[in-house]
Amino acid sequence: MGKFTFKKGKEKLSEQEIGQHMNFDKFISGYTPPVKGWFSGGTKLFTILSSGTALLIVAGYLLYTSAQTGDEHATAFIQPPIPALNPATDLFVLNTAADTTVVHTTGSTITVPQHAFADEKGIPVTGKVELHYREFHDPVDLVLSGIPMHYDSAGTSYLLESAGMFEITASKDGKPVFLLPGKELSVNMVSHSGNSDDYNIYSLDTVKRQWQYVAENTSANKSCMPVFEPSPAMKKRMDAENPELVLTKPPLPKKANADADNFSIDYRKDEFPELASYSGIKFEPVKGDKNYKPSLARKTWDEVRIERHPDNEHYIVTFSKEKESHSFMVSPVVDAENYDAALADYALRQKKYEALLVAKKKNDRLKNDSLYRLNAMFAGMWEKSNLEERFSNFISNSYMETAQDLLTYRTFAVSKLGYWNSDQPIPRPFFVNVDEMKKTKETYTASFSAGGEQLLLKNIFFIDRELNTLFNAPVKDLTRFPIPGPSVDIMIGITYDNKLVYLKDEELRKVKVTGETLSFNMKQAGAGITSPQQLKQFLKL
Amino acid sequence: MDVKFPTMTAIIAMTERSYYQTAEEIDVEMELVKAAQKDPRCFGPLYNAYYKRIVAYVYHRLESKEEAFEITAQVFYKALSNLAGYKSKGVPFSAWLFRIASNELNAVFRKHKRSRIVSLDEEGLSELKTEIETATSAQDEALFKAMEQLDAEEMELIDMRFFEQRSFREIAEIMEMGESACKMRTYRILEKLKTKLKHL
């Protein structure tokens, strides 16, 4: 038999024949996605594996599964400080044969595509699967979960300010299952942090023991459930209680270049408050801007206009006379004799600006909290009600609006099971009173007590409620224990026998180094607290 | 679940037209690929766009229509299974599908020790004869004997060029070689056929 058989006049395929076989629905229904990992090689590979390579494969499998959910790595890494108060997980039972969307009691939704899971060997599972889901929204949740909030990026340590976090895992018949490669769950998590776009998506790598940046903020989405809209009177009251704070970042003063042109402009100080406090401010054309020519400075103009450049650093100056007009970019500069004063003024204003920034976040959060509570209550009602009631409510309830202006959600494309967070990194020193520590040149030792008894603490958390994060204070070396910074609202300690002690607000402010001691006289949380919710109520958080 | 596809007009245009695509069409097609990488159900438009051409390619090299449909199904199954690794090289997605089809066919020929079918048509045969300056039909058998001595890749080039009427660019992209190299290779094969015919 030859390599080739030459055929003349072979019958062609007809459109009808092709039509009978070309059927995507049939094709896709018989399709099973490949499972990547050690098991993807197929049976042939197995027959040629030596025992040595088998060991490698097992290691690969462990990495695959442990990257997806809690295992011994995660257990060691995430240690709820009081196991009895570890935030509870909610359970949903899904049918793997169909796309499913479940609604959590918070109003968050989880969409699971069909055939999304595989067992520990990578074999797709069918039938019922249990989905385990819990959310963490406030500092008490964070403390009790034991989930770390530190984040290292480019050699710098940050804390993650959370707009909400969740853990999602799955199991079948009590055994963990994993997401198949290429499958993604979509989680629309209700967030209490408003519509800010400052939060990014992170997932917790329990093997590398760190948060991993996944994506930029997916922008706060909105649900398709009705929302509680406060009445105009209520809105006015909320605004009065928490007024908007207008922030203008002060510009860093620049020294005038002795070799460059500059000129003064008589601008309105109320229009440009950021420039107002610098004495002797002048405007220097930006080097390289071809629109500026020195000859322009020699002419007399009818009008000089100044406006902010979008980069918030420069300004645009326009000289005009009759039909002639010239615009160019300038930098505000300070002449040499006023420069030191301007720098001192800048430092002061920058500090005020940062303090205002914190206050603004606090205000924003208070506003969002008010709305969140109302909306969460409403979302609960919505989910519990049946369709008929919903329709009836829709018709009769004047608070409702359809579809769009709704709860704030953040969307996660979940490609592996585990912990996910919507966060923004903030510097760690914010939680430590650096100024106070600088004053204390000699070594001091921190000591903790409650009711006159000395305490040995296994965990100490500094909590900033407004920023919704916590600082895990180091407890191994108490000789330079950090002094809590001004933004810390509450300090929580956990003893080795799982008792919770705390210090908050004014009492925390009073703590100072005396001689060689930094003494924290803690209070013990009331007995009989058996749930995170009770603890939140007790601490008024 | 809502799945957003690129414009249907663009997809229809791809199915109706020949192998060639504009850069924009290739980009649209890549969007489809990305969607399918995330959700296999999004593979539908690509399947529908290329099914006819792939089954024609496969059947061209086989005797049996049923086997052609079976292998075509395997081609799409393999394509979807390996889609996660697909990266656009600025050429139509179909070039990748043709390569998968070619590999599948070669595997079948090897496994079953079968000869590959070369489906001839008069137009292609006439063109090939002109190229190698063998004008009469009486020499068909001699030409087939000469062609029998080509290797599989050489035959694939001749088949695609003369009996499937593909351009050098298309052949080059399917076989992952430069267009000039493809032309050069074809002319060398034609020279080889000429030489062999002289010695038969």
PDB file of all heavy atoms in Angstrom, chain A residues 1-5 7-8 10-11 15 17 23-24 32 99 182, chain B residues 38 41 44 59 62-63 65 77 113 115-116 118-120 140 148 150:
ATOM      1  N   MET A   1       0.842  -1.201   0.000  1.00  0.00           N
ATOM      2  CA  MET A   1       0.000   0.000   0.000  1.00  0.00           C
ATOM      3  C   MET A   1       0.878   1.252   0.000  1.00  0.00           C
ATOM      4  O   MET A   1       1.835   1.347   0.755  1.00  0.00           O
ATOM      5  CB  MET A   1      -0.875  -0.007   1.252  1.00  0.00           C
ATOM      6  CG  MET A   1      -1.845   1.123   1.294  1.00  0.00           C
ATOM      7  SD  MET A   1      -2.741   1.153   2.866  1.00  0.00           S
ATOM      8  CE  MET A   1      -1.430   1.497   4.012  1.00  0.00           C
ATOM      9  N   GLY A   2       0.577   2.187  -0.909  1.00  0.00           N
ATOM     10  CA  GLY A   2       1.365   3.406  -0.992  1.00  0.00           C
ATOM     11  C   GLY A   2       1.004   4.385   0.107  1.00  0.00           C
ATOM     12  O   GLY A   2       0.032   4.196   0.833  1.00  0.00           O
ATOM     13  N   LYS A   3       1.835   5.430   0.207  1.00  0.00           N
ATOM     14  CA  LYS A   3       1.567   6.454   1.220  1.00  0.00           C
ATOM     15  C   LYS A   3       0.310   7.239   0.876  1.00  0.00           C
ATOM     16  O   LYS A   3      -0.381   7.744   1.738  1.00  0.00           O
ATOM     17  CB  LYS A   3       2.757   7.439   1.268  1.00  0.00           C
ATOM     18  CG  LYS A   3       3.954   6.909   2.005  1.00  0.00           C
ATOM     19  CD  LYS A   3       5.040   7.957   2.067  1.00  0.00           C
ATOM     20  CE  LYS A   3       5.693   8.159   0.701  1.00  0.00           C
ATOM     21  NZ  LYS A   3       6.775   9.147   0.677  1.00  0.00           N
ATOM     22  N   PHE A   4       0.092   7.374  -0.437  1.00  0.00           N
ATOM     23  CA  PHE A   4      -1.028   8.206  -0.879  1.00  0.00           C
ATOM     24  C   PHE A   4      -1.939   7.421  -1.811  1.00  0.00           C
ATOM     25  O   PHE A   4      -1.484   6.570  -2.582  1.00  0.00           O
ATOM     26  CB  PHE A   4      -0.509   9.448  -1.627  1.00  0.00           C
ATOM     27  CG  PHE A   4       0.556  10.181  -0.869  1.00  0.00           C
ATOM     28  CD1 PHE A   4       1.864  10.241  -1.349  1.00  0.00           C
ATOM     29  CD2 PHE A   4       0.264  10.813   0.330  1.00  0.00           C
ATOM     30  CE1 PHE A   4       2.851  10.918  -0.656  1.00  0.00           C
ATOM     31  CE2 PHE A   4       1.254  11.492   1.035  1.00  0.00           C
ATOM     32  CZ  PHE A   4       2.552  11.543   0.546  1.00  0.00           C
ATOM     33  N   THR A   5      -3.213   7.733  -1.727  1.00  0.00           N
ATOM     34  CA  THR A   5      -4.171   7.186  -2.682  1.00  0.00           C
ATOM     35  C   THR A   5      -4.789   8.361  -3.419  1.00  0.00           C
ATOM     36  O   THR A   5      -5.329   9.268  -2.776  1.00  0.00           O
ATOM     37  CB  THR A   5      -5.275   6.390  -1.952  1.00  0.00           C
ATOM     38  OG1 THR A   5      -4.650   5.369  -1.187  1.00  0.00           O
ATOM     39  CG2 THR A   5      -6.249   5.765  -2.938  1.00  0.00           C
ATOM     40  N   LYS A   7      -7.476  10.129  -5.685  1.00  0.00           N
ATOM     41  CA  LYS A   7      -8.906   9.939  -5.989  1.00  0.00           C
ATOM     42  C   LYS A   7      -9.390  11.077  -6.869  1.00  0.00           C
ATOM     43  O   LYS A   7      -9.235  12.242  -6.501  1.00  0.00           O
ATOM     44  CB  LYS A   7      -9.719   9.963  -4.696  1.00  0.00           C
ATOM     45  CG  LYS A   7      -9.576   8.740  -3.850  1.00  0.00           C
ATOM     46  CD  LYS A   7     -10.708   7.779  -4.144  1.00  0.00           C
ATOM     47  CE  LYS A   7     -10.507   6.478  -3.394  1.00  0.00           C
ATOM     48  NZ  LYS A   7     -11.434   5.457  -3.844  1.00  0.00           N
ATOM     49  N   LYS A   8      -9.964  10.707  -7.971  1.00  0.00           N
ATOM     50  CA  LYS A   8     -10.553  11.735  -8.837  1.00  0.00           C
ATOM     51  C   LYS A   8     -12.060  11.704  -8.680  1.00  0.00           C
ATOM     52  O   LYS A   8     -12.637  10.622  -8.518  1.00  0.00           O
ATOM     53  CB  LYS A   8     -10.210  11.450 -10.295  1.00  0.00           C
ATOM     54  CG  LYS A   8      -8.917  12.017 -10.760  1.00  0.00           C
ATOM     55  CD  LYS A   8      -8.824  11.830 -12.272  1.00  0.00           C
ATOM     56  CE  LYS A   8      -7.449  12.160 -12.793  1.00  0.00           C
ATOM     57  NZ  LYS A   8      -7.326  11.830 -14.214  1.00  0.00           N
ATOM     58  N   LYS A  10     -14.182  12.621  -6.362  1.00  0.00           N
ATOM     59  CA  LYS A  10     -14.777  12.154  -5.096  1.00  0.00           C
ATOM     60  C   LYS A  10     -16.042  12.945  -4.795  1.00  0.00           C
ATOM     61  O   LYS A  10     -16.097  14.152  -5.042  1.00  0.00           O
ATOM     62  CB  LYS A  10     -13.750  12.360  -3.970  1.00  0.00           C
ATOM     63  CG  LYS A  10     -13.992  11.493  -2.776  1.00  0.00           C
ATOM     64  CD  LYS A  10     -12.846  11.577  -1.780  1.00  0.00           C
ATOM     65  CE  LYS A  10     -12.978  12.785  -0.890  1.00  0.00           C
ATOM     66  NZ  LYS A  10     -11.904  12.906   0.092  1.00  0.00           N
ATOM     67  N   GLU A  11     -17.030  12.258  -4.255  1.00  0.00           N
ATOM     68  CA  GLU A  11     -18.300  12.923  -3.941  1.00  0.00           C
ATOM     69  C   GLU A  11     -18.076  14.008  -2.886  1.00  0.00           C
ATOM     70  O   GLU A  11     -17.364  13.793  -1.907  1.00  0.00           O
ATOM     71  CB  GLU A  11     -19.290  11.885  -3.401  1.00  0.00           C
ATOM     72  CG  GLU A  11     -20.704  12.401  -3.310  1.00  0.00           C
ATOM     73  CD  GLU A  11     -21.634  11.388  -2.628  1.00  0.00           C
ATOM     74  OE1 GLU A  11     -21.227  10.223  -2.479  1.00  0.00           O
ATOM     75  OE2 GLU A  11     -22.745  11.782  -2.261  1.00  0.00           O
ATOM     76  N   GLU A  15     -24.433  20.405   1.808  1.00  0.00           N
ATOM     77  CA  GLU A  15     -24.809  21.330   2.892  1.00  0.00           C
ATOM     78  C   GLU A  15     -25.666  20.599   3.925  1.00  0.00           C
ATOM     79  O   GLU A  15     -25.545  20.830   5.121  1.00  0.00           O
ATOM     80  CB  GLU A  15     -25.594  22.518   2.327  1.00  0.00           C
ATOM     81  CG  GLU A  15     -24.755  23.514   1.546  1.00  0.00           C
ATOM     82  CD  GLU A  15     -23.854  24.361   2.436  1.00  0.00           C
ATOM     83  OE1 GLU A  15     -24.259  24.670   3.570  1.00  0.00           O
ATOM     84  OE2 GLU A  15     -22.734  24.690   2.004  1.00  0.00           O
ATOM     85  N   GLU A  17     -25.638  17.370   4.659  1.00  0.00           N
ATOM     86  CA  GLU A  17     -24.822  16.477   5.483  1.00  0.00           C
ATOM     87  C   GLU A  17     -24.067  17.265   6.550  1.00  0.00           C
ATOM     88  O   GLU A  17     -23.989  16.861   7.709  1.00  0.00           O
ATOM     89  CB  GLU A  17     -23.818  15.721   4.590  1.00  0.00           C
ATOM     90  CG  GLU A  17     -24.460  14.608   3.783  1.00  0.00           C
ATOM     91  CD  GLU A  17     -23.508  14.042   2.719  1.00  0.00           C
ATOM     92  OE1 GLU A  17     -22.770  14.838   2.089  1.00  0.00           O
ATOM     93  OE2 GLU A  17     -23.512  12.822   2.539  1.00  0.00           O
ATOM     94  N   ASN A  23     -23.419  20.864  15.095  1.00  0.00           N
ATOM     95  CA  ASN A  23     -24.385  21.141  16.159  1.00  0.00           C
ATOM     96  C   ASN A  23     -23.611  21.494  17.426  1.00  0.00           C
ATOM     97  O   ASN A  23     -23.120  20.622  18.143  1.00  0.00           O
ATOM     98  CB  ASN A  23     -25.255  19.897  16.375  1.00  0.00           C
ATOM     99  CG  ASN A  23     -26.342  20.156  17.404  1.00  0.00           C
ATOM    100  OD1 ASN A  23     -26.211  21.019  18.264  1.00  0.00           O
ATOM    101  ND2 ASN A  23     -27.413  19.396  17.300  1.00  0.00           N
ATOM    102  N   PHE A  24     -23.493  22.771  17.678  1.00  0.00           N
ATOM    103  CA  PHE A  24     -22.661  23.206  18.804  1.00  0.00           C
ATOM    104  C   PHE A  24     -23.253  22.784  20.148  1.00  0.00           C
ATOM    105  O   PHE A  24     -22.514  22.402  21.059  1.00  0.00           O
ATOM    106  CB  PHE A  24     -22.442  24.720  18.778  1.00  0.00           C
ATOM    107  CG  PHE A  24     -21.559  25.186  19.900  1.00  0.00           C
ATOM    108  CD1 PHE A  24     -20.195  24.907  19.894  1.00  0.00           C
ATOM    109  CD2 PHE A  24     -22.077  25.871  20.989  1.00  0.00           C
ATOM    110  CE1 PHE A  24     -19.377  25.299  20.946  1.00  0.00           C
ATOM    111  CE2 PHE A  24     -21.260  26.271  22.044  1.00  0.00           C
ATOM    112  CZ  PHE A  24     -19.906  25.983  22.019  1.00  0.00           C
ATOM    113  N   THR A  32     -16.081  18.003  28.296  1.00  0.00           N
ATOM    114  CA  THR A  32     -15.639  18.096  29.697  1.00  0.00           C
ATOM    115  C   THR A  32     -14.338  18.876  29.715  1.00  0.00           C
ATOM    116  O   THR A  32     -13.372  18.471  29.060  1.00  0.00           O
ATOM    117  CB  THR A  32     -15.380  16.699  30.281  1.00  0.00           C
ATOM    118  OG1 THR A  32     -16.531  15.915  30.018  1.00  0.00           O
ATOM    119  CG2 THR A  32     -15.140  16.773  31.774  1.00  0.00           C
ATOM    120  N   ASP A  99     -26.119  26.199  36.041  1.00  0.00           N
ATOM    121  CA  ASP A  99     -25.628  27.471  36.574  1.00  0.00           C
ATOM    122  C   ASP A  99     -26.522  27.836  37.752  1.00  0.00           C
ATOM    123  O   ASP A  99     -27.743  27.691  37.667  1.00  0.00           O
ATOM    124  CB  ASP A  99     -25.753  28.580  35.526  1.00  0.00           C
ATOM    125  CG  ASP A  99     -24.864  28.334  34.327  1.00  0.00           C
ATOM    126  OD1 ASP A  99     -23.978  27.484  34.425  1.00  0.00           O
ATOM    127  OD2 ASP A  99     -25.074  29.007  33.304  1.00  0.00           O
ATOM    128  N   GLY A 182     -10.076  27.368  34.594  1.00  0.00           N
ATOM    129  CA  GLY A 182     -10.921  28.027  33.598  1.00  0.00           C
ATOM    130  C   GLY A 182     -12.312  28.339  34.113  1.00  0.00           C
ATOM    131  O   GLY A 182     -13.039  29.114  33.498  1.00  0.00           O
TER     132      GLY A 182
ATOM    133  N   LYS B  38     -12.607  31.729  28.965  1.00  0.00           N
ATOM    134  CA  LYS B  38     -13.231  31.849  30.289  1.00  0.00           C
ATOM    135  C   LYS B  38     -14.443  30.932  30.418  1.00  0.00           C
ATOM    136  O   LYS B  38     -14.709  30.402  31.482  1.00  0.00           O
ATOM    137  CB  LYS B  38     -13.673  33.301  30.520  1.00  0.00           C
ATOM    138  CG  LYS B  38     -12.505  34.224  30.786  1.00  0.00           C
ATOM    139  CD  LYS B  38     -12.995  35.624  31.057  1.00  0.00           C
ATOM    140  CE  LYS B  38     -11.835  36.582  31.178  1.00  0.00           C
ATOM    141  NZ  LYS B  38     -12.205  37.946  30.901  1.00  0.00           N
ATOM    142  N   ARG B  41     -18.761  27.759  26.697  1.00  0.00           N
ATOM    143  CA  ARG B  41     -19.970  27.980  25.885  1.00  0.00           C
ATOM    144  C   ARG B  41     -19.784  29.111  24.886  1.00  0.00           C
ATOM    145  O   ARG B  41     -20.492  29.221  23.905  1.00  0.00           O
ATOM    146  CB  ARG B  41     -21.161  28.267  26.796  1.00  0.00           C
ATOM    147  CG  ARG B  41     -21.624  27.035  27.542  1.00  0.00           C
ATOM    148  CD  ARG B  41     -22.559  27.403  28.627  1.00  0.00           C
ATOM    149  NE  ARG B  41     -21.928  28.338  29.537  1.00  0.00           N
ATOM    150  CZ  ARG B  41     -22.556  28.970  30.514  1.00  0.00           C
ATOM    151  NH1 ARG B  41     -23.825  28.788  30.689  1.00  0.00           N
ATOM    152  NH2 ARG B  41     -21.904  29.787  31.306  1.00  0.00           N
ATOM    153  N   GLY B  44     -19.012  28.749  20.843  1.00  0.00           N
ATOM    154  CA  GLY B  44     -20.029  28.553  19.812  1.00  0.00           C
ATOM    155  C   GLY B  44     -19.789  29.322  18.519  1.00  0.00           C
ATOM    156  O   GLY B  44     -19.777  28.729  17.425  1.00  0.00           O
ATOM    157  N   TYR B  59     -12.164  15.977   5.224  1.00  0.00           N
ATOM    158  CA  TYR B  59     -12.736  15.043   4.247  1.00  0.00           C
ATOM    159  C   TYR B  59     -11.880  14.972   2.985  1.00  0.00           C
ATOM    160  O   TYR B  59     -11.754  13.915   2.365  1.00  0.00           O
ATOM    161  CB  TYR B  59     -14.165  15.462   3.903  1.00  0.00           C
ATOM    162  CG  TYR B  59     -14.825  14.593   2.854  1.00  0.00           C
ATOM    163  CD1 TYR B  59     -14.933  13.204   3.027  1.00  0.00           C
ATOM    164  CD2 TYR B  59     -15.342  15.148   1.679  1.00  0.00           C
ATOM    165  CE1 TYR B  59     -15.537  12.404   2.060  1.00  0.00           C
ATOM    166  CE2 TYR B  59     -15.940  14.360   0.709  1.00  0.00           C
ATOM    167  CZ  TYR B  59     -16.027  12.988   0.899  1.00  0.00           C
ATOM    168  OH  TYR B  59     -16.601  12.197  -0.058  1.00  0.00           O
ATOM    169  N   LEU B  62      -9.554  12.185   3.410  1.00  0.00           N
ATOM    170  CA  LEU B  62     -10.095  10.881   3.816  1.00  0.00           C
ATOM    171  C   LEU B  62     -11.042  10.332   2.756  1.00  0.00           C
ATOM    172  O   LEU B  62     -11.520  11.067   1.895  1.00  0.00           O
ATOM    173  CB  LEU B  62     -10.879  11.012   5.132  1.00  0.00           C
ATOM    174  CG  LEU B  62     -10.110  11.337   6.417  1.00  0.00           C
ATOM    175  CD1 LEU B  62     -11.098  11.634   7.533  1.00  0.00           C
ATOM    176  CD2 LEU B  62      -9.192  10.195   6.811  1.00  0.00           C
ATOM    177  N   GLU B  63     -11.355   9.053   2.925  1.00  0.00           N
ATOM    178  CA  GLU B  63     -12.309   8.411   2.018  1.00  0.00           C
ATOM    179  C   GLU B  63     -13.736   8.574   2.537  1.00  0.00           C
ATOM    180  O   GLU B  63     -14.663   8.897   1.800  1.00  0.00           O
ATOM    181  CB  GLU B  63     -11.954   6.895   1.945  1.00  0.00           C
ATOM    182  CG  GLU B  63     -12.850   6.075   1.068  1.00  0.00           C
ATOM    183  CD  GLU B  63     -12.369   6.091  -0.368  1.00  0.00           C
ATOM    184  OE1 GLU B  63     -11.238   5.669  -0.603  1.00  0.00           O
ATOM    185  OE2 GLU B  63     -13.140   6.537  -1.247  1.00  0.00           O
ATOM    186  N   LYS B  65     -16.980   9.864   4.632  1.00  0.00           N
ATOM    187  CA  LYS B  65     -17.600  11.087   5.145  1.00  0.00           C
ATOM    188  C   LYS B  65     -17.808  10.980   6.662  1.00  0.00           C
ATOM    189  O   LYS B  65     -17.552  11.925   7.408  1.00  0.00           O
ATOM    190  CB  LYS B  65     -18.958  11.304   4.468  1.00  0.00           C
ATOM    191  CG  LYS B  65     -18.861  11.722   3.026  1.00  0.00           C
ATOM    192  CD  LYS B  65     -20.248  11.942   2.450  1.00  0.00           C
ATOM    193  CE  LYS B  65     -20.157  12.338   0.980  1.00  0.00           C
ATOM    194  NZ  LYS B  65     -21.475  12.509   0.366  1.00  0.00           N
ATOM    195  N   TYR B  77     -12.938  19.490  19.664  1.00  0.00           N
ATOM    196  CA  TYR B  77     -12.807  19.117  21.078  1.00  0.00           C
ATOM    197  C   TYR B  77     -11.386  19.434  21.559  1.00  0.00           C
ATOM    198  O   TYR B  77     -11.188  20.021  22.612  1.00  0.00           O
ATOM    199  CB  TYR B  77     -13.100  17.622  21.251  1.00  0.00           C
ATOM    200  CG  TYR B  77     -13.444  17.232  22.660  1.00  0.00           C
ATOM    201  CD1 TYR B  77     -14.761  17.126  23.075  1.00  0.00           C
ATOM    202  CD2 TYR B  77     -12.442  16.979  23.595  1.00  0.00           C
ATOM    203  CE1 TYR B  77     -15.088  16.773  24.378  1.00  0.00           C
ATOM    204  CE2 TYR B  77     -12.756  16.628  24.894  1.00  0.00           C
ATOM    205  CZ  TYR B  77     -14.081  16.523  25.286  1.00  0.00           C
ATOM    206  OH  TYR B  77     -14.390  16.188  26.571  1.00  0.00           O
ATOM    207  N   LYS B 113      -2.255   2.735   9.926  1.00  0.00           N
ATOM    208  CA  LYS B 113      -1.372   2.422   8.792  1.00  0.00           C
ATOM    209  C   LYS B 113      -2.142   2.545   7.481  1.00  0.00           C
ATOM    210  O   LYS B 113      -2.157   1.637   6.647  1.00  0.00           O
ATOM    211  CB  LYS B 113      -0.773   1.022   8.957  1.00  0.00           C
ATOM    212  CG  LYS B 113       0.172   0.974  10.141  1.00  0.00           C
ATOM    213  CD  LYS B 113       0.782  -0.379  10.319  1.00  0.00           C
ATOM    214  CE  LYS B 113       1.717  -0.321  11.513  1.00  0.00           C
ATOM    215  NZ  LYS B 113       1.961  -1.586  12.136  1.00  0.00           N
ATOM    216  N   SER B 115      -3.242   4.831   3.978  1.00  0.00           N
ATOM    217  CA  SER B 115      -2.688   5.849   3.093  1.00  0.00           C
ATOM    218  C   SER B 115      -3.588   7.082   3.106  1.00  0.00           C
ATOM    219  O   SER B 115      -4.793   6.982   3.330  1.00  0.00           O
ATOM    220  CB  SER B 115      -2.541   5.301   1.674  1.00  0.00           C
ATOM    221  OG  SER B 115      -3.795   4.882   1.189  1.00  0.00           O
ATOM    222  N   ARG B 116      -2.953   8.194   2.887  1.00  0.00           N
ATOM    223  CA  ARG B 116      -3.669   9.461   2.889  1.00  0.00           C
ATOM    224  C   ARG B 116      -4.320   9.647   1.527  1.00  0.00           C
ATOM    225  O   ARG B 116      -3.702   9.369   0.491  1.00  0.00           O
ATOM    226  CB  ARG B 116      -2.664  10.581   3.149  1.00  0.00           C
ATOM    227  CG  ARG B 116      -3.191  11.996   3.065  1.00  0.00           C
ATOM    228  CD  ARG B 116      -2.024  12.862   2.574  1.00  0.00           C
ATOM    229  NE  ARG B 116      -2.194  14.293   2.769  1.00  0.00           N
ATOM    230  CZ  ARG B 116      -2.900  15.076   1.988  1.00  0.00           C
ATOM    231  NH1 ARG B 116      -3.619  14.572   0.982  1.00  0.00           N
ATOM    232  NH2 ARG B 116      -2.917  16.369   2.180  1.00  0.00           N
ATOM    233  N   VAL B 118      -5.547  11.717  -1.568  1.00  0.00           N
ATOM    234  CA  VAL B 118      -5.324  13.000  -2.243  1.00  0.00           C
ATOM    235  C   VAL B 118      -6.497  13.180  -3.207  1.00  0.00           C
ATOM    236  O   VAL B 118      -6.599  12.469  -4.205  1.00  0.00           O
ATOM    237  CB  VAL B 118      -3.981  13.015  -3.001  1.00  0.00           C
ATOM    238  CG1 VAL B 118      -3.743  14.377  -3.654  1.00  0.00           C
ATOM    239  CG2 VAL B 118      -2.837  12.668  -2.069  1.00  0.00           C
ATOM    240  N   SER B 119      -7.369  14.091  -2.876  1.00  0.00           N
ATOM    241  CA  SER B 119      -8.572  14.288  -3.698  1.00  0.00           C
ATOM    242  C   SER B 119      -8.243  15.212  -4.860  1.00  0.00           C
ATOM    243  O   SER B 119      -7.922  16.388  -4.655  1.00  0.00           O
ATOM    244  CB  SER B 119      -9.685  14.905  -2.848  1.00  0.00           C
ATOM    245  OG  SER B 119      -9.965  14.077  -1.746  1.00  0.00           O
ATOM    246  N   LEU B 120      -8.325  14.688  -6.032  1.00  0.00           N
ATOM    247  CA  LEU B 120      -7.905  15.449  -7.211  1.00  0.00           C
ATOM    248  C   LEU B 120      -9.104  16.036  -7.934  1.00  0.00           C
ATOM    249  O   LEU B 120     -10.168  15.413  -7.975  1.00  0.00           O
ATOM    250  CB  LEU B 120      -7.147  14.527  -8.169  1.00  0.00           C
ATOM    251  CG  LEU B 120      -5.962  13.757  -7.582  1.00  0.00           C
ATOM    252  CD1 LEU B 120      -5.475  12.729  -8.602  1.00  0.00           C
ATOM    253  CD2 LEU B 120      -4.848  14.703  -7.209  1.00  0.00           C
ATOM    254  N   ASP B 140      -0.915  11.035 -16.517  1.00  0.00           N
ATOM    255  CA  ASP B 140      -1.427  11.114 -15.142  1.00  0.00           C
ATOM    256  C   ASP B 140      -0.818  10.050 -14.240  1.00  0.00           C
ATOM    257  O   ASP B 140      -0.386  10.332 -13.124  1.00  0.00           O
ATOM    258  CB  ASP B 140      -2.956  10.939 -15.128  1.00  0.00           C
ATOM    259  CG  ASP B 140      -3.672  12.241 -15.432  1.00  0.00           C
ATOM    260  OD1 ASP B 140      -2.957  13.246 -15.698  1.00  0.00           O
ATOM    261  OD2 ASP B 140      -4.908  12.267 -15.392  1.00  0.00           O
ATOM    262  N   GLU B 148       3.885   9.972  -5.560  1.00  0.00           N
ATOM    263  CA  GLU B 148       3.942   8.943  -4.519  1.00  0.00           C
ATOM    264  C   GLU B 148       5.274   8.977  -3.771  1.00  0.00           C
ATOM    265  O   GLU B 148       5.354   8.584  -2.612  1.00  0.00           O
ATOM    266  CB  GLU B 148       3.738   7.573  -5.196  1.00  0.00           C
ATOM    267  CG  GLU B 148       3.734   6.375  -4.288  1.00  0.00           C
ATOM    268  CD  GLU B 148       2.540   6.332  -3.349  1.00  0.00           C
ATOM    269  OE1 GLU B 148       1.418   6.720  -3.785  1.00  0.00           O
ATOM    270  OE2 GLU B 148       2.746   5.947  -2.196  1.00  0.00           O
ATOM    271  N   LEU B 150       6.888  11.653  -2.936  1.00  0.00           N
ATOM    272  CA  LEU B 150       7.033  12.831  -2.057  1.00  0.00           C
ATOM    273  C   LEU B 150       6.813  12.403  -0.612  1.00  0.00           C
ATOM    274  O   LEU B 150       6.140  11.402  -0.342  1.00  0.00           O
ATOM    275  CB  LEU B 150       5.995  13.900  -2.417  1.00  0.00           C
ATOM    276  CG  LEU B 150       6.066  14.497  -3.817  1.00  0.00           C
ATOM    277  CD1 LEU B 150       4.928  15.516  -4.015  1.00  0.00           C
ATOM    278  CD2 LEU B 150       7.413  15.193  -4.060  1.00  0.00           C
TER     279      LEU B 150
END
